[in-house]
Amino acid sequence: MTQDVHDAPGVRDGRDVQYGTAVASVYDSLIAPAMPAEVAVDRLRPYVAGARVLEVGVGTGRVAVPVAALAREVVGVDNSRPMLAEFRAKGVPANVSLVEADFRRPLPLQGRFGAAYSTMGSLACVHSREELTAALAHVREVLEPGATLSLEYYSTAVYRPLVELGTVTVPMPHHGGTTTFTTTVDDADVLTMGTLVEKDGEAPVEFAEQVLLIERDEVEACLDRAGFAVQEVVPAEELLPYDWYTARSVA
């Protein structure tokens, strides 16, 4: 089993960690319920069952915990110390280990993995196609030949209309409040989205994130350049803002 690492080489100084204390404090109660893990776990099941598995962007364990019930071992990587702290506070399954590291740099991991996955657009937290390709290559470097990488990536079909709207407030039935999104995109296709979560009787929580918003063929091209062959792309479904990619390591 990989050793639990709290401050592995390659972690940046925290200034560009997007999901910090504010997000971590409400993630499990207000944000994660809007994105149930069941769909992702069902899609991952054929690849993770009995395997040594890597999750990129493990966060508070929304997907890692149910995947751990299927896999031989799960190693979760995240560059957000507050998110990892929330996961540890809940209790980490015995076959899960956590590594604080930044996927934009070579991953400080030992051994190879039979499968990898990244949900909720974590791998989109880059600022260029070159940076995305490099990040994907870092994942491929720790995979066994033929291993599967499954990932959710921000769907332009969902987010381009949000950019046109600018600001939109939507009800959140799972927590009885509202969430307001303010989205812009620059000439480099970097989308900036400010999020304001409000619930009666609780202090509002506000945070911002930046992701690379590119078309599916460009995501596929980055995967190809990183040493993956795309097997399937499932377009974003109702209420889910991400396209789902399944690719295999070929390099």
Side-chain angles (χ1 to χ4, degrees), residues 189-210:
D189 294 318
V190 174
L191 179 142
T192 300
M193 182 164 62
T195 301
L196 174 64
V197 181
E198 297 179 288
K199 181 181 180 181
D200 289 345
E202 297 187 11
V205 176
E206 190 169 7
F207 59 94
E209 56 191 314
Q210 288 189 321

Side-chain angles (χ1 to χ4, degrees), residues 17-247:
V17 173
Q18 300 204 62
Y19 307 108
T21 303
V23 179
S25 68
V26 298
Y27 189 84
D28 286 331
S29 61
L30 300 185
I31 299 174
M35 298 291 295
E38 288 80 6
V39 172
V41 175
D42 284 344
R43 286 173 170 168
L44 291 169
R45 189 181 305 272
Y47 310 112
V48 303
R52 183 173 191 244
V53 180
L54 170 67
E55 179 174 358
V56 181
V58 67
T60 66
R62 181 184 69 96
V63 178
V65 170
V67 165
L70 305 171
R72 171 168 56 89
E73 178 187 356
V74 177
V75 176
V77 170
D78 206 295
N79 71 346
S80 172
R81 187 167 299 182
M83 294 287 276
L84 293 175
E86 289 290 328
F87 192 173
R88 292 188 179 100
K90 293 186 298 184
V92 179
N95 65 333
V96 175
S97 52
L98 304 178
V99 177
E100 185 182 344
D102 192 324
F103 63 72
R104 291 168 294 186
R105 297 183 179 184
L107 296 172
L109 304 174
Q110 297 179 352
R112 296 295 183 104
F113 296 85
Y117 67 91
S118 181
T119 63
M120 292 188 72
S122 293
L123 279 163
C125 295
V126 294
H127 289 88
S128 69
R129 292 154 181 81
E130 293 75 19
E131 194 172 36
L132 174 59
T133 300
L136 291 167
H138 296 328
V139 176
R140 192 260 304 157
E141 288 165 0
V142 299
L143 295 182
E144 298 172 354
T148 298
L149 169 63
S150 305
L151 67 144
E152 289 181 320
Y153 200 95
Y154 285 75
S155 171
T156 56
V158 174
Y159 281 92
R160 294 288 181 187
L162 282 177
V163 172
E164 293 292 326
L165 291 171
T167 298
V168 59
T169 299
V170 296
M172 304 298 283
H174 62 280
H175 70 69
T178 62
T179 301
T180 299
F181 303 100
T182 301
T183 53
T184 61
V185 64
D186 66 17
D187 292 339
D189 294 318
V190 174
L191 179 142
T192 300
M193 182 164 62
T195 301
L196 174 64
V197 181
E198 297 179 288
K199 181 181 180 181
D200 289 345
E202 297 187 11
V205 176
E206 190 169 7
F207 59 94
E209 56 191 314
Q210 288 189 321
V211 299
L212 182 66
L213 186 66
I214 55 177
E215 302 295 336
R216 284 184 210 132
D217 61 343
E218 294 187 278
V219 176
E220 291 188 52
C222 291
L223 281 161
D224 179 72
R225 289 194 293 271
F228 289 98
V230 177
Q231 305 292 299
E232 182 183 23
V233 181
V234 179
E237 299 174 351
E238 184 179 3
L239 301 179
L240 297 178
Y242 309 105
D243 298 323
W244 183 279
Y245 297 78
T246 303

